[in-house]
């Protein structure tokens, strides 16, 4: 199962299509305070974060997930505009497994949804 902390409806439809093509169920959380309860209800294999949306507190959410030993094996991936390099570094430092510029994220979506582990970083 994939859980996405994303509130962009248009981009959400792209995520839903990629998950469907891979046979992965996906659920969306549009408020940061809903994330933990959603994870307790159904432990996801992958959590996706829109790192550009400060209102979603993606960095705080990543830290919260990584601070819970029961969730240590959950894959975390985030995406942001290519101009937000500092935000992407902050997400990695918080414990996100992979971060992508939005365009690279779109290209990586099929693999993210299919693979049991995150694809290796591109050089």
């Amino acid at each position: 199962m994939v859980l996405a902390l994303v509130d962009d409806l248009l981009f959400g439809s792209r995520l839903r299509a990629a998950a469907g093509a891979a046979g992965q169920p996906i659920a969306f959380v549009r408020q940061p305070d809903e994330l933990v309860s959603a994870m307790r209800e159904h432990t996801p294999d992958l959590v996706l974060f829109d790192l550009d949306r400060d209102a979603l507190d993606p960095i705080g959410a990543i830290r919260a997930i990584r601070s819970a030993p029961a969730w240590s094996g959950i894959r975390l991936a985030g995406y942001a505009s290519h101009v937000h390099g500092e935000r992407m570094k902050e997400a990695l430092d918080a414990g996100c497994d992979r971060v992508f510029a939005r365009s690279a994220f779109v290209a990586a979506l099929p693999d993210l949804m299919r693979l049991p582990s995150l694809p290796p970083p591109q050089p």
Side-chain angles (χ1 to χ4, degrees), residues 1-6 11-30 42 44-49 79 105 109 113:
M1 175 190 182
V2 177
L3 184 61
L5 183 60
V6 173
F11 203 72
S13 66
R14 179 174 272 176
L15 295 176
R16 189 177 312 282
Q24 284 280 5
I26 188 167
F28 291 88
V29 177
R30 290 180 170 79
H42 299 287
D45 300 301
L46 172 65
V47 181
L48 302 174
F49 300 92
Y79 61 90
F105 178 74
L109 263 176
M113 296 295 181

Side-chain angles (χ1 to χ4, degrees), residues 96-108:
C96 199
D97 296 303
R98 289 289 307 279
V99 296
F100 299 87
R102 188 178 287 259
S103 58
F105 178 74
V106 169

Side-chain angles (χ1 to χ4, degrees), residues 54-70:
D54 289 334
L56 297 177
D57 188 21
I59 304 303
I62 293 165
R63 286 186 181 123
I65 292 168
R66 287 299 180 230
S67 71

Side-chain angles (χ1 to χ4, degrees), residues 6 11 13 32 36-37 50-52 55 59 67-68 77 80 85 89 104 107 118 123:
V6 173
F11 203 72
S13 66
V36 171
S37 61
D50 182 344
L51 301 173
D52 286 331
I59 304 303
S67 71
K89 181 184 179 323
L118 290 171

